[in-house]
Amino acid sequence: MQRITEGALPPGGYESDPRLSAPEVVEEAAATTGLDTDAATLYLQLLALPVPTDRRIRRFNRWTPAHHKAVAAALVEAGLAVADRRARAGRGVFLPGDWAGGDKFYPPMETWKAGLLGVRVIGHKVCSRPVAGPLPELFARAWRTRSHGNRGAGC
């Protein structure tokens, strides 16, 4: 609430854009991975956001579809994401590793995110809702945690 009332974001900006809510994490991710700022931004969003659909990412980051596609291709080329199609994902790139399907109540996601987001996964099925917390902290925690590998957290 403090960030919202302080006006920390520019008008029309989203906490879901780590360039605005966690710029130091974006800088560290870019420096560590060798990615440019936009690719580091998308990587952090894939790591941290429970439902980073292409449509949401473009809205949060104010990207055109063509720019988003180019940024996603850079992540795939760097080996940090894989291009794929998965049911109900609403996106074309994913973190490497296992995938947990969802249903009408629970969003599907990479199993690696389960522990980060407080999601319970049984088998390969999401069985609880994400409880993320403040996004600046979530981006930082996702960045720190990612070095332990993109593996499922389990239940």
Side-chain angles (χ1 to χ4, degrees):
M1 282 301 279
Q2 181 181 0
R3 286 181 55 82
I4 293 169
T5 58
E6 288 177 348
L9 294 173
Y14 290 88
E15 288 274 321
S16 302
D17 179 347
R19 295 171 302 180
L20 302 178
S21 63
E24 65 289 340
V25 181
V26 174
E27 289 175 21
E28 183 179 340
T32 302
T33 61
L35 298 170
D36 67 20
T37 300
D38 285 351
T41 296
L42 179 57
Y43 184 50
L44 288 169
Q45 290 170 316
L46 291 175
L47 287 170
L49 298 179
V51 188
T53 65
D54 288 347
R55 176 176 273 164
R56 288 178 178 171
I57 294 297
R58 288 191 293 267
R59 183 176 66 232
F60 299 152
N61 301 347
R62 297 181 178 188
W63 289 347
T64 65
H67 183 70
H68 183 199
K69 184 177 180 179
V71 172
L75 284 184
V76 171
E77 185 177 315
L80 296 171
V82 294
D84 200 359
R85 293 185 67 146
R86 298 180 185 173
R88 298 188 56 245
R91 57 185 156 124
V93 294
F94 302 86
L95 298 173
D98 293 336
W99 178 255
D103 60 24
K104 129 178 174 180
F105 299 107
Y106 307 120
M109 69 179 63
E110 294 88 343
T111 57
W112 176 82
K113 293 186 205 184
L116 179 73
L117 298 173
V119 170
R120 190 158 186 222
V121 174
I122 297 176
H124 289 287
K125 188 82 167 167
V126 173
C127 51
S128 68
R129 291 195 183 278
V131 182
L135 285 171
E137 294 171 21
L138 183 62
F139 286 124
R141 199 167 67 241
W143 176 246
R144 286 191 312 269
T145 305
R146 68 85 185 80
S147 64
H148 297 115
N150 294 339
R151 299 289 175 251
C155 294

